[in-house]
Amino acid sequence: MTTIKQPLVLAALGLALATAQVRAAEPVHDHPDVEDRSLTLPDGTRVLRESAVFNVPRDTLWRAFATTEGLKSWEAPVVDVDVRVGGHIEVSYDPKVPLGDPRTIRHEVLAFLPDELLVFRNVQAPPGFAHADLFGRVVNILQFEDLGGGRTRLTESGVGYGQGKDWDQLYAFFRTGNAYLFETLKAHFEGSAAPTGPAHEANK
């Protein structure tokens, strides 16, 4: 269900993380349930890494991302998920924008392990999205860790953020945006208060 290249990619990532500069975990501003464990790799590229613990079993949390019904139940009204190597995750936050439209957000699935790992990268951002070319160079990794007792830690790592003003803006945009989505997911499953305010810092 995965390509032969996947173990090599993950092994290389593991080696890089072992020698990376990891900063102490800290909560994301306005999202206290989300921990930021971002780091800088030896080559200077950055990994935007955030995690949160959910009071739901791992397979339930996996389906919330890896199935059309699951993702549609909490993130966006227009969704199509096809988890396979070369598959896609396509969403639109505007219910009037249909699937296949150039205004949707579309990711390519690069690799996965059922209930454990989902790796993807963006191949289509909506028109006008700042730094879409840079975002297409970032690989996103979702890891689902079973903590026992019906609890799961979800970690999202965006690997490949470079240095410079444009990269900084994109990094800030997704640092708050990903945390906002984590809090939205917690509200969906746990009945906690949904996040308020803007989902993202401006990346323009």
Side-chain angles (χ1 to χ4, degrees):
M1 301 179 75
T2 58
T3 68
I4 193 169
K5 294 181 180 179
Q6 180 186 348
L8 298 177
V9 170
L10 297 179
L13 176 61
L15 179 61
L17 295 181
T19 58
Q21 299 176 13
V22 183
R23 70 186 186 195
E26 58 184 38
V28 179
H29 180 64
D30 291 335
H31 302 290
D33 292 327
V34 182
E35 284 192 338
D36 185 339
R37 294 181 176 273
S38 299
L39 49 103
T40 301
L41 300 179
D43 65 357
T45 58
R46 292 174 287 177
V47 178
L48 174 58
R49 196 177 204 195
E50 296 169 304
S51 66
V53 175
F54 296 82
N55 293 317
V56 293
R58 182 168 65 171
D59 60 342
T60 300
L61 198 60
W62 167 261
R63 289 194 297 271
F65 286 90
T67 67
T68 297
E69 296 78 11
L71 194 60
K72 190 174 183 178
S73 71
W74 69 275
E75 184 176 10
V78 179
V79 173
D80 186 46
V81 176
D82 178 15
V83 173
R84 58 184 175 84
V85 174
H88 63 266
I89 301 168
E90 185 178 5
V91 302
S92 171
Y93 295 103
D94 183 345
K96 297 179 181 179
V97 175
L99 293 169
D101 192 279
R103 294 170 291 174
T104 64
I105 301 166
R106 189 176 179 91
H107 306 299
E108 178 189 7
V109 176
L110 303 178
F112 70 99
L113 292 171
D115 294 342
E116 295 183 33
L117 189 77
L118 182 59
V119 185
F120 58 93
R121 69 178 181 90
N122 182 259
V123 293
Q124 178 176 289
F129 181 83
H131 315 312
D133 56 332
L134 298 183
F135 186 43
R137 293 158 57 182
V138 174
V139 174
N140 290 282
I141 303 170
L142 290 176
Q143 296 170 275
F144 302 80
E145 179 185 357
D146 186 358
L147 301 179
R151 299 168 70 243
T152 307
R153 177 180 287 111
L154 174 64
T155 300
E156 179 166 6
S157 301
V159 182
Y161 284 91
Q163 301 287 344
K165 179 181 177 181
D166 290 351
W167 278 113
D168 290 347
Q169 291 174 345
L170 188 68
Y171 185 98
F173 182 84
F174 281 106
R175 183 176 187 266
T176 55
N178 293 346
Y180 189 99
L181 285 180
F182 274 34
E183 295 282 15
T184 300
L185 186 58
K186 285 184 74 70
H188 171 73
F189 279 121
E190 302 175 14
S192 57
T196 59
H200 297 277
E201 291 185 16
N203 73 335
K204 296 184 179 181

